[in-house]
Amino acid sequence: MTPHDTAVLRVAGRPVGRYVTRPELPPRLSPRPYLHPVTTLAGTAVTELSPADHIHHLGVGVAVPDVEGSNFWGGRTFVRDQGPTELDNHGAQRHSSFQLRDPDGFVEELRWVASGAELLRERRTVAATELTEFAWALDFTFSLTNVTSGPLSIGSPATNGRPGAAYGGFFWRARKEESAPDVFTADREGEQEIHGTRAPWVALMGSTWTLIFAGATEQTRRDPWFVRAEEYPGVGSSLAAEERLQIPPGETAVRRIVTVVADGRISRLEAASLVRKAVSP
């Protein structure tokens, strides 16, 4: 990996994230670009890369366990009536080019390839913005276009028979600490109460940091949240929760998630205020 394979995100001149475009990873991990480390303005890391509990978790990025049967998440594939199964079905997201590359963000073109065929073409737009002296926002938009000649669908273990496992889409693997992080929304608290529900935003709060995830478009807000706190800390937005997401030939699915990255432990009122500031209409 060379310096040309990475981009450093900066907020007010301070580095807050490192983006790796061409990671050197085994096929089983579904190689794909990712952000790691991502830090608060004070320098606290809030992501993990290939942790022992899930080595295919790669910081912040887009990962999907089932694109027409190909695994772009990494690890085992959930097979109906069989459970998690080792299959030789892993795809890779390949960086094509940067259309724009600035200190505070970039626009990237990617190709989603499996078994030698391109299934999806992605445009990824990422921007970092200062909110306050203790918080900044990561604005992450991805557009997936079906470049095949036929219909294509995205699934999850949930749509394949494993209730509660609707992971797939934007995913943030957070920093693991001795104690599980707190999880809350505007009106709910706890992993069990929030996982699989729809809410304008969800917060994950560690010992000295808080992450607040917000759907920034109406379509994104329709996707339920995938939340883990006790087993490991992670939050994602589910593309395929109850049914497979269909993308006809030539059409595009677009999602936008804005994440507030804050130093310290913050209240519901502070979280709501930061989300309002971070998510433009």
Side-chain angles (χ1 to χ4, degrees):
M1 187 166 58
T2 71
H4 298 292
D5 296 326
T6 65
V8 177
L9 284 179
R10 298 179 183 274
V11 170
R14 286 177 283 188
V16 293
R18 179 172 176 263
Y19 188 67
V20 179
T21 61
R22 295 184 178 92
E24 297 174 357
L25 296 169
R28 185 182 179 276
L29 300 188
S30 298
R32 56 195 183 272
Y34 59 79
L35 277 160
H36 175 81
V38 176
T39 70
T40 67
L41 291 176
T44 300
V46 288
T47 53
E48 284 202 14
L49 180 70
S50 291
D53 54 57
H54 291 78
I55 61 172
H56 49 279
H57 287 180
L58 308 177
V60 180
V62 182
V64 176
D66 180 357
V67 179
E68 284 299 312
S70 294
N71 182 340
F72 289 87
W73 177 271
R76 296 178 295 176
T77 296
F78 185 86
V79 178
R80 189 180 295 274
D81 300 325
Q82 293 185 38
T85 305
E86 288 287 354
L87 297 177
D88 184 18
N89 67 337
H90 295 90
Q93 297 172 23
R94 296 179 180 170
H95 168 85
S96 295
S97 64
F98 282 116
Q99 301 299 303
L100 175 70
R101 187 171 175 177
D102 288 328
D104 61 350
F106 57 83
V107 178
E108 180 189 22
E109 299 285 341
L110 305 98
R111 298 166 59 240
W112 291 44
V113 178
S115 300
E118 183 178 3
L119 303 180
L120 294 165
R121 194 162 298 164
E122 179 189 348
R123 169 163 285 202
R124 184 173 298 183
T125 303
V126 174
T129 306
E130 185 176 22
L131 298 176
T132 69
E133 61 183 12
F134 68 88
W136 66 279
L138 180 72
D139 194 330
F140 194 115
T141 300
F142 62 98
S143 305
L144 301 175
T145 300
N146 177 1
V147 293
T148 73
S149 59
L152 178 149
S153 67
I154 287 173
S156 69
T159 63
N160 294 337
R162 183 185 171 192
Y167 52 84
F170 172 86
F171 182 69
W172 187 304
R173 173 58 199 254
R175 174 184 178 181
K176 193 170 188 177
E177 300 179 315
E178 288 188 10
S179 299
D182 296 324
V183 184
F184 61 90
T185 65
D187 56 3
R188 298 189 185 198
E189 188 167 346
E191 177 183 345
Q192 297 302 317
E193 289 294 316
I194 297 170
H195 173 69
T197 66
R198 294 168 175 84
W201 56 266
V202 58
L204 192 71
M205 186 165 65
S207 59
T208 61
W209 50 268
T210 305
L211 301 172
I212 313 159
F213 305 89
T217 66
E218 187 60 39
Q219 182 61 62
T220 308
R221 286 188 285 272
R222 294 193 192 110
D223 295 335
W225 294 107
F226 176 85
V227 178
R228 288 290 184 265
E230 294 297 331
E231 180 185 0
Y232 64 83
V235 173
S237 182
S238 302
L239 288 175
E242 291 93 16
E243 58 186 25
R244 299 182 70 88
L245 174 64
Q246 305 291 331
I247 308 178
E251 295 199 11
T252 302
V254 183
R255 298 293 190 273
R256 179 183 171 216
I257 296 91
V258 176
T259 306
V260 175
V261 182
D263 282 295
R265 293 171 58 84
I266 65 177
S267 68
R268 276 190 171 90
L269 287 176
E270 289 174 310
S273 176
L274 286 168
V275 167
R276 285 194 297 271
K277 189 170 185 177
V279 180
S280 57

